[in-house]
Amino acid sequence: MRYRLRPLYTLGGYLAAASLTLICALITAQIVGRLIDRAAVALGGDRIGLAIPGLSEISGFLLVGASFLGLAYTFVHGGHIRVTLLIGRLSPAPRAWVEVFCLSIALALCLYLAWNLYWLLDDSITFNETSYGLLRIPLWIPQSAMLAGVLLFCLALIEAWLHTLSVAVTRPGTFTINDSGHE
């Protein structure tokens, strides 16, 4: 299947990868800082105090961003776990309709999640909510990444649903797993 919004999903994948890379860089910097402190003490000096305050909190928020922003990218590349034990045994026409049904449920759940994330984000902005850790990070920042990732996933599901429905209606006997949005 050819996704028309693939560049958008790829952007989400790159942002997810950038989040993971940033986590790795921050943790590496923290480790190097501790090693420098340890070396300074071993050489008879004082600790320099090289530390990143709130690293676990920042890493957690970046992990949230990576997890949600990568949803659509992973979906269009067939990286989500699928249980095809039952659907794989069906002939193409019924398989197409079962796939439409499964995509419908996934889309409904995803839209429900997006709706609730929107209201969570709205509350965080309205009440100026911040995290409780060492750093007072406004919660709308990680929640925005969550909502953006879920909305991208909704778009990918809509594209896959429309294409699968089209195949199920017009040429159900030719349906393959690639027609449901996976490469």
Side-chain angles (χ1 to χ4, degrees):
M1 170 180 171
R2 184 180 163 279
Y3 285 93
R4 295 174 193 258
L5 299 175
R6 184 180 291 269
L8 200 56
Y9 310 142
T10 301
L11 175 63
Y14 283 140
L15 290 173
S19 296
L20 291 174
T21 303
L22 191 53
I23 291 171
C24 182
L26 289 171
I27 291 174
T28 301
Q30 180 82 354
I31 291 169
V32 169
R34 287 181 183 174
L35 290 174
I36 291 172
D37 273 353
R38 186 169 285 170
V41 170
L43 294 173
D46 291 333
R47 298 185 122 211
I48 300 170
L50 298 175
I52 300 172
L55 176 64
S56 61
E57 187 175 16
I58 294 168
S59 295
F61 289 148
L62 286 169
L63 184 60
V64 165
S67 300
F68 281 85
L69 289 170
L71 284 172
Y73 178 84
T74 306
F75 176 74
V76 300
H77 286 31
H80 287 200
I81 297 172
R82 293 175 47 96
V83 180
T84 57
L85 186 62
L86 174 65
I87 196 171
R89 297 182 186 274
L90 297 174
S91 60
R95 186 179 327 142
W97 287 105
V98 169
E99 192 69 32
V100 167
F101 176 74
C102 292
L103 286 169
S104 299
I105 291 174
L107 181 58
L109 291 172
C110 194
L111 287 169
Y112 180 74
L113 178 60
W115 173 261
N116 284 290
L117 282 173
Y118 169 78
W119 288 110
L120 179 67
L121 176 64
D122 184 58
D123 281 351
S124 293
I125 291 171
T126 301
F127 297 111
N128 198 23
E129 294 178 333
T130 58
S131 61
Y132 292 108
L134 185 59
L135 300 176
R136 306 291 287 177
I137 297 172
L139 288 179
W140 67 265
I141 296 172
Q143 290 170 355
S144 295
M146 290 171 62
L147 181 59
V150 169
L151 289 174
L152 281 175
F153 189 37
C154 285
L155 286 174
L157 285 169
I158 289 168
E159 278 195 86
W161 185 84
L162 288 171
H163 179 76
T164 305
L165 182 63
S166 170
V167 171
V169 170
T170 60
R171 47 188 169 83
T174 65
F175 182 79
T176 64
I177 196 67
N178 292 342
D179 287 327
S180 64
H182 305 290
E183 296 178 340

